[in-house]
Amino acid sequence: MPGDKKKASPLGAAANRCGAALLLMSGVSGLGVFIATHPLGLGWSALLTCAFCVPMLAHRYAWLLLIPGLSPVIDLAAWTGAIYLTESDALVFAALLAHGVRGLWASAAGSRASAAPEPRQWAIGALPLIALLLLSASYLISTDWRPAWSVWTDPSLLVGYGPLNGLRLAKGMLLSVLLLPLLVQAMREAPGQALRMLLSGVLLGVLLVSLGAVWERLAFTGLTDFATDYRTTALFWEMNVGGAALDGWLALGLPFVLWAVLRERDPIRLGGLLCTLGVVAYAAFTTFSRGLYLGAAAGGALTLTLMLRAAVRQEGVRIPLRAALGWSGFAAGCVLAMSAVFQTGGYRGLAAMLGLALAVFAAGPLMILLGRRDLLWAALVAGVASLLSILAMLWVPKGVYLAYGVSVVCFWMVLLLGLGERWATQAARLAFGSVLWMGFNAVLVTWYWSEGSGGLAGALGVGVLFGPLSLVRVRPQCCWRPDVQSGVPVLLVLGAVALIVVTFNTYYAGKRFETVAEDLEMRFQHWSLAASLPQGGREALIGVGVGQFAERYFWQVPDGQFPGSHHVVREEGQHFLRLGGPRHVLGFGELYRVSQRVSPAIEPPLLVSLNARAPEGDAAVHLELCRKHLLYANECTGHEFKVVGGPVWQRFEFVLDRRDLGHDGGWLPKLTMFSVANASRGRLVEIDDLSLVDASGREHLDNGSFEAASDFWFFSSDRHHLPWHAKNLWLHYFVEQGWLGLLAFSVLSGMALLRVTAGAGAAHPLGPPLAGGLSGFFIVGAFDSLVDAPRLTVFALLLMFVALGLRGAHHR
């Protein structure tokens, strides 16, 4: 019988025990090192470990929710300075530990059993496994594992992207492979539950990432300031030297939110998902990343196309070509008309038009219900109300906005509440009159905001939006049903129109698009230089080494592009910070900073003291205290001074006042950083015994003597990013892992995408968002490396593994 169980063979049971033991040892080892080396100390690190392990042990599939849901927001590296073993890694190790414990317990209890063979929703074939083995072998061969044994005697190896950087990047692949047995078991035991947990985790993760971006914008620029040269990083510390970790995560997650919105039928959950989609769209827009714009658009379009194809095949949905072309043309007209409105009436004019568009959608059936006399009566009502709007605009401060708000309230109250069956005709008249009044008010809002120059644009916008009502009047069979199911696509289209309009008509985003050709030429030059880094046949085959791009770039880069460096050096029992000077033209944004978080409530005057020396000749040191998240300082106070060249340590003390520091943000604290930088080109400067004391005598810096190496110290380069990244996902694999790594990754990623677009996984309900997310990720990867953020590597590979084994409904 299909439901019968059969006991596993002795050989299979032994293999299960060995696998569980391996996962348990991996989890225990990883968490042990995490606890022992964490800068916050044993107590806090042990508490974090317990917090991760408890839900993993309580629910066998909790890791599918927690790893994609929490990984992008729980790393504390920007506070602790620990970049090689982070909280997101500990989360994965907790999952491995829990799975190992559960497997050994089941083996000891003799309860391990396997289900009789039956068709499955998920199964990885031989070819993907071969590609995965090839990619794993490439990481093993191209990674220098020797520094791992030296770190216990030389903690300075943990400073910056040094010899251990290869292990940091290889860790993303290693953890992904260790998670594969957990995925296999979950998908074999309960694929439906496992996929629901994974979907919830993806939605949670992308929401938390986007909320982090919203907080950053709110704290440092304001939500509606789109002209400032500021690009958000959310909680991705890996963007300290540039990169696109935020872009990659949003590109992977956005299609899942879109897919969930279109499939949801419960009004409450639908409202929550629509809000989530709005937050994610805002976060994506404010990255001002052209690669993400392209990736998100392509990923969303592919998701919608595959969902539509599934609806046509499985549910018999038919969309006439004429209707599709007509509505596409209408959407294009809306974009043009709304652009004209936005250029004159700003955000308020655009918002008024979008509100009118929703009202027009809801009022469609009124054009069929009302006769000619009813329409004339409604127009008369709208005319009288419009006169009142003009009087309100002239006599009441900002009365035009009040009039628009009243018209919106009147329309929705009459439409939703009605006046009873006896007064149905009068209610329809009032509702349509309110729509006409709202249209007039939308024109007034645009005209008022533009100080008289936007009347024509407003009238054009209203005319375009009323176009579908004219069509319904002429051809009633074209009328739509304004319910929740049809309203969701309308909301999505209006949101897309708004995003397109704002993207191409705001200052900073428009400026970014104006420089596409120039930036692309610079990118081609960088790609050419990066491709030349592997030297000889051996390096062409296996690369320069995982994590060694920046190191090789340092030795082969033209002099003017070296960004600077930092190391903690031990000399005669003394630890100190050595800052290598950059060789490019220096500016405030081009400094290579070593920083530490301090309390936002810190109150100047502040006494800064340090020892410094310049062994290669006179050098300049830059000190600053800034309201700053990760990149792009907001408000700063600081000091720059000269260090006379020589081998002797010199003592310096300075007072930083409150000049230009600004406020601490109050209830929404502005993160604050103290930074030190080498402000001299091409020369070394050495720093020791750094201290930052406020007026009360409180010390604000930890590890100012650098005896604990990099603990609590973090580094960043605000704008000089090319030396750190290949800026192309496939080029990154070629440089660091040669043709072997490039071929293995290309085959694995290609098979994953092909399976959910044209293969067995395309018919599965989760196929469209997987295809959209992966395609968006790969498009972003065409302009950035992405896998230099290990937690993003784990997330992307996890989704690729799911895609590689997904099977559609016809396989069940």
Side-chain angles (χ1 to χ4, degrees):
M1 297 293 290
D4 291 344
K5 301 285 183 179
K6 63 178 183 180
K7 292 186 178 180
S9 67
L11 184 60
N16 290 331
R17 285 195 299 271
C18 289
L22 176 62
L23 294 177
L24 178 60
M25 286 190 295
S26 300
V28 170
S29 301
L31 291 175
V33 174
F34 174 78
I35 293 172
T37 60
H38 201 281
L40 294 181
L42 294 177
W44 283 107
S45 57
L47 185 61
L48 277 173
T49 299
C50 291
F52 296 155
C53 288
V54 168
M56 300 290 189
L57 290 167
H59 195 290
R60 64 190 307 111
Y61 306 133
W63 68 275
L64 285 165
L65 169 69
L66 297 179
I67 290 179
L70 298 183
S71 289
V73 296
I74 61 174
D75 274 7
L76 300 175
W79 283 264
T80 64
I83 64 174
Y84 287 98
L85 199 61
T86 65
E87 289 71 20
S88 59
D89 302 327
L91 193 63
V92 177
F93 285 126
L96 300 178
L97 181 148
H99 191 81
V101 168
R102 192 174 288 111
L104 290 179
W105 178 269
S107 296
S111 59
R112 171 72 67 176
S114 59
E118 58 179 338
R120 292 193 296 265
Q121 297 183 39
W122 188 90
I124 290 186
L127 285 179
L129 285 177
I130 292 173
L132 178 58
L133 289 173
L134 192 62
L135 184 60
S136 302
S138 174
Y139 270 94
L140 290 172
I141 294 170
S142 300
T143 302
D144 185 3
W145 303 92
R146 293 169 297 178
W149 310 110
S150 304
V151 71
W152 300 105
T153 57
D154 186 7
S156 64
L157 292 173
L158 296 170
V159 178
Y161 293 153
L164 283 173
N165 196 45
L167 277 73
R168 184 181 73 88
L169 298 194
K171 174 188 64 180
M173 180 66 188
L174 176 63
L175 294 179
S176 303
V177 172
L178 289 174
L179 284 174
L180 184 56
L182 282 68
L183 179 65
V184 170
Q185 182 176 343
M187 294 300 291
R188 285 181 176 176
E189 292 178 349
Q193 184 182 7
L195 289 177
R196 284 193 298 272
M197 295 288 282
L198 176 64
L199 176 62
S200 299
V202 173
L203 296 178
L204 176 63
V206 75
L207 173 61
L208 293 179
V209 163
S210 301
L211 288 175
V214 170
W215 158 78
E216 186 180 354
R217 299 290 303 184
L218 186 60
F220 292 98
T221 65
L223 290 179
T224 58
D225 182 0
F226 303 134
T228 301
D229 183 8
Y230 186 99
R231 295 177 64 189
T232 50
T233 59
L235 296 173
F236 287 102
W237 63 265
E238 297 93 340
M239 296 178 69
N240 59 326
V241 287
L246 173 60
D247 303 357
W249 206 287
L250 291 175
L252 282 169
L254 182 58
F256 284 89
V257 185
L258 178 62
W259 175 85
V261 165
L262 290 172
R263 287 175 59 92
E264 186 57 62
R265 295 294 178 265
D266 181 78
I268 296 177
R269 288 198 297 265
L270 177 60
L273 287 170
L274 284 171
C275 291
T276 299
L277 182 61
V279 173
V280 175
Y282 175 87
F285 169 69
T286 52
T287 63
F288 298 106
S289 168
R290 293 158 295 190
L292 177 57
Y293 291 169
L294 181 60
L302 181 59
T303 302
L304 294 174
T305 300
L306 294 177
M307 292 182 71
L308 182 59
R309 185 180 69 178
V312 170
R313 289 181 177 178
Q314 299 171 12
E315 303 173 20
V317 175
R318 293 290 181 269
I319 299 180
L321 178 61
R322 183 183 298 178
L325 293 176
W327 286 112
S328 298
F330 174 69
C334 284
V335 170
L336 295 176
M338 295 305 105
S339 294
V341 169
F342 183 73
Q343 290 169 2
T344 55
Y347 290 101
R348 299 182 186 184
L350 179 61
M353 293 294 171
L354 294 177
L356 175 63
L358 285 177
V360 167
F361 167 72
L366 296 179
M367 296 301 292
I368 301 174
L369 297 175
L370 297 176
R372 238 178 236 182
R373 290 184 59 187
D374 298 322
L375 292 177
L376 290 174
W377 193 92
L380 179 62
V381 171
V384 173
S386 297
L387 291 176
L388 296 177
S389 295
I390 294 174
L391 294 177
M393 181 181 65
L394 296 175
W395 294 346
V396 180
K398 298 184 177 181
V400 63
Y401 306 125
L402 176 63
Y404 180 84
V406 171
S407 65
V408 171
V409 172
C410 287
F411 170 74
W412 289 107
M413 283 186 63
V414 173
L415 189 69
L416 297 178
L417 299 180
L419 298 177
E421 186 175 341
R422 181 179 178 184
W423 302 95
T425 302
Q426 287 76 4
R429 290 173 176 177
L430 286 173
F432 192 74
S434 298
V435 172
L436 296 176
W437 182 27
M438 194 186 306
F440 182 80
N441 287 333
V443 176
L444 282 187
V445 168
T446 306
W447 184 84
Y448 180 81
W449 178 253
S450 62
E451 298 181 350
S453 62
L456 181 60
L460 174 64
V462 170
V464 170
L465 293 179
F466 273 104
L469 294 183
S470 302
L471 174 65
V472 170
R473 187 67 183 177
V474 176
R475 302 186 64 183
Q477 67 271 24
C478 294
C479 189
W480 53 88
R481 178 180 295 178
D483 54 14
V484 174
Q485 186 174 355
S486 57
V488 170
V490 171
L491 284 174
L492 294 180
V493 170
L494 291 178
V497 168
L499 277 176
I500 293 171
V501 169
V502 173
T503 298
F504 287 97
N505 291 280
T506 51
Y507 170 74
Y508 186 53
K511 185 178 177 182
R512 295 275 294 164
F513 281 102
E514 289 174 2
T515 61
V516 166
E518 178 184 346
D519 292 345
L520 195 57
E521 181 180 356
M522 185 184 302
R523 191 62 58 90
F524 277 123
Q525 294 174 357
H526 178 69
W527 288 339
S528 177
L529 176 60
S532 69
L533 294 182
Q535 301 291 311
R538 182 179 183 276
E539 289 191 349
L541 178 62
I542 64 172
V544 302
V546 175
Q548 298 308 302
F549 178 88
E551 179 76 11
R552 182 58 64 93
Y553 197 90
F554 165 77
W555 292 109
Q556 294 183 215
V557 70
D559 275 351
Q561 297 185 32
F562 177 61
S565 62
H566 80 292
H567 304 279
V568 171
V569 180
R570 182 179 181 181
E571 194 174 275
E572 298 178 355
Q574 178 186 7
H575 290 79
F576 54 86
L577 175 67
R578 176 176 290 165
L579 294 172
R583 293 197 293 264
H584 55 78
V585 177
L586 287 172
F588 181 76
E590 285 76 32
L591 290 174
Y592 180 97
R593 293 169 168 84
V594 177
S595 309
Q596 186 172 145
R597 303 274 195 201
V598 297
S599 169
I602 190 171
E603 281 293 334
L606 303 164
L607 176 64
V608 180
S609 59
L610 71 157
N611 295 330
R613 67 181 181 184
E616 296 180 343
D618 293 355
V621 175
H622 178 86
L623 303 173
E624 66 184 25
L625 183 70
C626 294
R627 306 297 185 188
K628 182 177 181 180
H629 174 47
L630 188 67
L631 304 177
Y632 309 106
N634 192 268
E635 299 158 311
C636 295
T637 181
H639 185 76
E640 193 166 300
F641 62 96
K642 177 182 177 181
V643 180
V644 178
V648 179
W649 288 98
Q650 303 163 52
R651 186 67 176 173
F652 297 92
E653 290 187 353
F654 306 100
V655 174
L656 301 182
D657 58 24
R658 196 177 174 80
R659 184 185 70 253
D660 300 326
L661 184 59
H663 61 87
D664 61 8
W667 68 273
L668 190 70
K670 292 183 177 180
L671 297 181
T672 306
M673 274 190 178
F674 173 79
S675 303
V676 57
N678 186 345
S680 51
R681 294 180 63 186
R683 291 184 178 176
L684 292 177
V685 66
E686 296 170 347
I687 307 292
D688 197 9
D689 295 327
L690 255 172
S691 174
L692 179 67
V693 178
D694 64 14
S696 67
R698 178 189 171 193
E699 175 62 60
H700 285 269
L701 296 182
D702 293 308
N703 190 28
S705 64
F706 302 98
E707 292 297 321
S710 61
D711 285 3
F712 305 108
W713 291 101
F714 196 64
F715 66 102
S716 64
S717 177
D718 281 12
R719 300 181 187 277
H720 205 62
H721 298 155
L722 291 182
W724 306 96
H725 312 280
K727 292 296 182 180
N728 179 277
L729 186 55
W730 290 269
L731 181 60
H732 172 89
Y733 272 103
F734 171 72
V735 173
E736 295 198 346
Q737 295 173 249
W739 288 109
L740 177 61
L742 174 61
L743 176 64
F745 177 75
S746 299
V747 171
L748 190 70
S749 58
M751 285 193 297
L753 186 57
L754 184 64
R755 187 176 182 92
V756 289
T757 52
H764 193 282
L766 208 58
L770 278 169
L774 291 176
S775 64
F777 180 79
F778 295 144
I779 289 174
V780 173
F783 305 99
D784 226 295
S785 304
L786 295 182
V787 289
D788 42 18
R791 50 181 165 166
L792 179 58
T793 303
V794 172
F795 182 43
L797 286 176
L798 178 61
L799 294 185
M800 286 171 61
F801 293 161
V802 173
L804 284 167
L806 206 62
R807 296 188 174 193
H810 59 281
H811 286 276
R812 286 182 234 155

